[in-house]
Amino acid sequence: MQQTGQVIAVENGTATVRIQRCEACEHCGACFRIGEKEADILLHNPVGARVGDYVAIHMRPQNVLLASAIAYGIPLCALLIGVLLGSLWGDVYTALGGVLFPAAAFFLLRALEPRLAKNRTLLPAITRILPPPAIIDAERA
């Protein structure tokens, strides 16, 4: 997955990049949203981009799938396990298991979030600094 954005802040080896939200990330919610079409995302800055620079951002497709599996698969499995275990004791326990197990999975994922965030392979990466769009448009003309 390839995306471009503009660096709006730099601090301690990270850059806040404003991107145009694409269709694939429309409902994700991992970025701080600005309106419907823009989002800010905090990324590691290995290329030394400065405020105002345009950058290329890349996330490997298998990492997108892995992140989706973590975010959606774990709560779904917890729901199924909760419902199946609860059904052994009756309808009320089925409902409780269907609510409590996904809630526990949510809190587990929230607790693991700092550790997962340190794993840079799951995060998008700034790959290079791009020329400003005005220069790109002039070259195409």
Side-chain angles (χ1 to χ4, degrees), residues 11 16 19 21 28-30 35-37 48 54 56-57 67-68 70 73 75 80-81 92 98 102 108 110 122 128-129:
E11 185 177 325
T16 302
I19 60 171
R21 293 172 57 84
C28 171
E36 290 183 26
K37 297 292 182 188
Y54 288 86
I57 302 165
S68 296
I70 291 169
L80 294 174
I81 291 168
V92 173
L108 174 69
R110 290 292 293 197
L122 293 176
R128 66 185 192 279
I129 298 172

Short mmCIF file of all heavy atoms in Angstrom, two decimals, residues 11 16 19 21 28-30 35-37 48 54 56-57 67-68 70 73 75 80-81 92 98 102 108 110 122 128-129:
data_model
loop_
_atom_site.label_atom_id
_atom_site.label_comp_id
_atom_site.label_asym_id
_atom_site.label_seq_id
_atom_site.Cartn_x
_atom_site.Cartn_y
_atom_site.Cartn_z
N GLU A 11 9.36 15.55 15.65
CA GLU A 11 9.78 15.55 17.05
C GLU A 11 10.39 14.21 17.42
O GLU A 11 9.79 13.16 17.20
CB GLU A 11 8.57 15.84 17.95
CG GLU A 11 8.94 16.00 19.40
CD GLU A 11 7.73 16.34 20.25
OE1 GLU A 11 6.84 17.06 19.77
OE2 GLU A 11 7.68 15.87 21.39
N THR A 16 4.82 13.73 12.09
CA THR A 16 3.37 13.69 11.91
C THR A 16 3.11 14.06 10.46
O THR A 16 3.51 15.13 10.00
CB THR A 16 2.66 14.67 12.85
OG1 THR A 16 3.01 14.34 14.20
CG2 THR A 16 1.15 14.59 12.69
N ILE A 19 -2.14 12.98 5.50
CA ILE A 19 -2.39 12.21 4.29
C ILE A 19 -3.83 12.42 3.82
O ILE A 19 -4.68 12.81 4.60
CB ILE A 19 -2.14 10.70 4.50
CG1 ILE A 19 -3.06 10.15 5.59
CG2 ILE A 19 -0.69 10.42 4.80
CD1 ILE A 19 -3.05 8.65 5.72
N ARG A 21 -6.99 10.55 2.93
CA ARG A 21 -7.50 9.22 3.25
C ARG A 21 -7.97 8.52 1.99
O ARG A 21 -8.76 9.06 1.22
CB ARG A 21 -8.63 9.32 4.27
CG ARG A 21 -8.13 9.80 5.61
CD ARG A 21 -9.26 10.09 6.55
NE ARG A 21 -10.14 8.96 6.77
CZ ARG A 21 -9.91 7.99 7.64
NH1 ARG A 21 -8.83 8.01 8.37
NH2 ARG A 21 -10.77 7.01 7.77
N CYS A 28 -10.90 2.65 9.16
CA CYS A 28 -9.94 2.08 10.09
C CYS A 28 -9.94 2.79 11.43
O CYS A 28 -10.06 2.17 12.46
CB CYS A 28 -8.54 2.13 9.47
SG CYS A 28 -7.23 1.70 10.58
N GLY A 29 -9.75 4.11 11.43
CA GLY A 29 -9.75 4.86 12.68
C GLY A 29 -8.41 4.89 13.38
O GLY A 29 -8.30 5.40 14.49
N ALA A 30 -7.35 4.33 12.79
CA ALA A 30 -6.04 4.32 13.45
C ALA A 30 -5.39 5.70 13.43
O ALA A 30 -4.60 6.01 14.30
CB ALA A 30 -5.12 3.32 12.78
N GLY A 35 -11.55 16.02 9.27
CA GLY A 35 -12.60 16.00 8.27
C GLY A 35 -12.76 14.61 7.69
O GLY A 35 -12.33 13.62 8.26
N GLU A 36 -13.37 14.53 6.52
CA GLU A 36 -13.65 13.23 5.91
C GLU A 36 -12.51 12.72 5.04
O GLU A 36 -12.37 11.52 4.86
CB GLU A 36 -14.92 13.33 5.06
CG GLU A 36 -16.17 13.50 5.87
CD GLU A 36 -17.40 13.50 4.99
OE1 GLU A 36 -17.36 12.92 3.90
OE2 GLU A 36 -18.40 14.10 5.42
N LYS A 37 -11.72 13.62 4.50
CA LYS A 37 -10.73 13.21 3.50
C LYS A 37 -9.27 13.25 3.97
O LYS A 37 -8.40 12.77 3.27
CB LYS A 37 -10.87 14.08 2.24
CG LYS A 37 -12.20 13.92 1.55
CD LYS A 37 -12.33 12.56 0.94
CE LYS A 37 -13.65 12.41 0.20
NZ LYS A 37 -13.89 11.07 -0.23
N GLY A 48 14.78 11.58 7.74
CA GLY A 48 15.06 12.94 8.19
C GLY A 48 14.20 14.00 7.53
O GLY A 48 14.66 15.12 7.28
N TYR A 54 7.21 16.69 1.44
CA TYR A 54 6.27 15.66 0.99
C TYR A 54 7.01 14.34 1.03
O TYR A 54 8.17 14.26 0.61
CB TYR A 54 5.76 15.97 -0.42
CG TYR A 54 4.80 17.13 -0.43
CD1 TYR A 54 5.26 18.44 -0.52
CD2 TYR A 54 3.44 16.91 -0.31
CE1 TYR A 54 4.38 19.50 -0.50
CE2 TYR A 54 2.55 17.97 -0.29
CZ TYR A 54 3.03 19.27 -0.38
OH TYR A 54 2.16 20.31 -0.35
N ALA A 56 6.89 9.81 0.78
CA ALA A 56 6.24 8.58 0.34
C ALA A 56 6.12 7.67 1.56
O ALA A 56 7.08 7.51 2.32
CB ALA A 56 7.06 7.90 -0.75
N ILE A 57 4.94 7.11 1.75
CA ILE A 57 4.68 6.21 2.87
C ILE A 57 4.31 4.86 2.30
O ILE A 57 3.51 4.76 1.37
CB ILE A 57 3.51 6.76 3.73
CG1 ILE A 57 3.83 8.16 4.22
CG2 ILE A 57 3.20 5.82 4.88
CD1 ILE A 57 2.62 8.89 4.76
N ALA A 67 -2.34 -6.79 10.62
CA ALA A 67 -2.96 -5.81 11.52
C ALA A 67 -4.48 -5.98 11.54
O ALA A 67 -5.11 -5.89 12.60
CB ALA A 67 -2.58 -4.39 11.09
N SER A 68 -5.08 -6.26 10.39
CA SER A 68 -6.52 -6.50 10.33
C SER A 68 -6.90 -7.76 11.09
O SER A 68 -7.92 -7.80 11.79
CB SER A 68 -6.99 -6.62 8.89
OG SER A 68 -6.79 -5.41 8.21
N ILE A 70 -5.35 -9.03 13.64
CA ILE A 70 -5.24 -8.74 15.07
C ILE A 70 -6.44 -7.92 15.53
O ILE A 70 -7.09 -8.24 16.52
CB ILE A 70 -3.92 -8.01 15.38
CG1 ILE A 70 -2.74 -8.95 15.19
CG2 ILE A 70 -3.93 -7.43 16.79
CD1 ILE A 70 -1.38 -8.27 15.21
N GLY A 73 -9.84 -10.20 14.08
CA GLY A 73 -9.88 -11.64 14.33
C GLY A 73 -9.92 -12.01 15.80
O GLY A 73 -10.67 -12.91 16.20
N PRO A 75 -11.06 -10.20 18.51
CA PRO A 75 -12.39 -10.01 19.10
C PRO A 75 -13.44 -10.98 18.55
O PRO A 75 -14.31 -11.44 19.30
CB PRO A 75 -12.74 -8.56 18.74
CG PRO A 75 -11.43 -7.90 18.54
CD PRO A 75 -10.54 -8.95 17.94
N LEU A 80 -16.96 -15.76 19.60
CA LEU A 80 -17.37 -17.14 19.34
C LEU A 80 -17.10 -18.03 20.55
O LEU A 80 -17.95 -18.85 20.93
CB LEU A 80 -16.68 -17.68 18.10
CG LEU A 80 -17.05 -17.00 16.78
CD1 LEU A 80 -16.20 -17.52 15.64
CD2 LEU A 80 -18.52 -17.19 16.48
N ILE A 81 -15.94 -17.88 21.16
CA ILE A 81 -15.61 -18.68 22.35
C ILE A 81 -16.57 -18.35 23.49
O ILE A 81 -17.07 -19.25 24.16
CB ILE A 81 -14.14 -18.46 22.75
CG1 ILE A 81 -13.22 -19.08 21.71
CG2 ILE A 81 -13.86 -19.05 24.14
CD1 ILE A 81 -11.75 -18.68 21.86
N VAL A 92 -28.85 -17.01 29.21
CA VAL A 92 -28.29 -15.83 29.89
C VAL A 92 -26.77 -15.85 29.83
O VAL A 92 -26.14 -14.83 29.55
CB VAL A 92 -28.80 -15.75 31.35
CG1 VAL A 92 -28.09 -14.64 32.11
CG2 VAL A 92 -30.30 -15.56 31.38
N GLY A 98 -21.11 -13.68 25.18
CA GLY A 98 -21.01 -12.93 23.93
C GLY A 98 -20.66 -11.47 24.12
O GLY A 98 -20.17 -10.81 23.20
N PRO A 102 -15.62 -10.61 24.18
CA PRO A 102 -15.08 -9.57 23.30
C PRO A 102 -14.60 -8.33 24.07
O PRO A 102 -13.62 -7.70 23.69
CB PRO A 102 -16.25 -9.21 22.38
CG PRO A 102 -17.12 -10.41 22.41
CD PRO A 102 -16.97 -10.99 23.78
N LEU A 108 -7.53 -6.54 26.41
CA LEU A 108 -6.26 -7.22 26.17
C LEU A 108 -5.50 -6.54 25.03
O LEU A 108 -4.30 -6.26 25.14
CB LEU A 108 -6.50 -8.69 25.83
CG LEU A 108 -5.26 -9.49 25.42
CD1 LEU A 108 -4.33 -9.65 26.62
CD2 LEU A 108 -5.66 -10.83 24.85
N ARG A 110 -5.87 -3.45 24.01
CA ARG A 110 -5.46 -2.13 24.48
C ARG A 110 -4.19 -2.23 25.34
O ARG A 110 -3.31 -1.39 25.26
CB ARG A 110 -6.57 -1.46 25.29
CG ARG A 110 -7.77 -1.03 24.48
CD ARG A 110 -7.46 0.08 23.57
NE ARG A 110 -7.16 1.28 24.32
CZ ARG A 110 -7.16 2.49 23.84
NH1 ARG A 110 -7.45 2.68 22.59
NH2 ARG A 110 -6.86 3.51 24.58
N LEU A 122 4.66 -3.54 11.69
CA LEU A 122 3.21 -3.42 11.54
C LEU A 122 2.77 -2.02 11.17
O LEU A 122 1.63 -1.80 10.80
CB LEU A 122 2.51 -3.84 12.83
CG LEU A 122 2.61 -5.31 13.21
CD1 LEU A 122 1.95 -5.56 14.55
CD2 LEU A 122 2.00 -6.19 12.14
N ARG A 128 10.81 7.75 1.53
CA ARG A 128 11.67 8.76 0.89
C ARG A 128 10.97 10.11 0.88
O ARG A 128 9.76 10.21 1.04
CB ARG A 128 12.05 8.35 -0.53
CG ARG A 128 10.91 8.30 -1.51
CD ARG A 128 11.38 7.77 -2.86
NE ARG A 128 10.41 7.97 -3.89
CZ ARG A 128 9.35 7.20 -4.11
NH1 ARG A 128 9.13 6.17 -3.34
NH2 ARG A 128 8.52 7.45 -5.08
N ILE A 129 11.77 11.15 0.65
CA ILE A 129 11.25 12.51 0.53
C ILE A 129 10.97 12.76 -0.95
O ILE A 129 11.78 12.44 -1.81
CB ILE A 129 12.26 13.54 1.09
CG1 ILE A 129 12.48 13.27 2.58
CG2 ILE A 129 11.77 14.96 0.86
CD1 ILE A 129 13.59 14.09 3.20
#
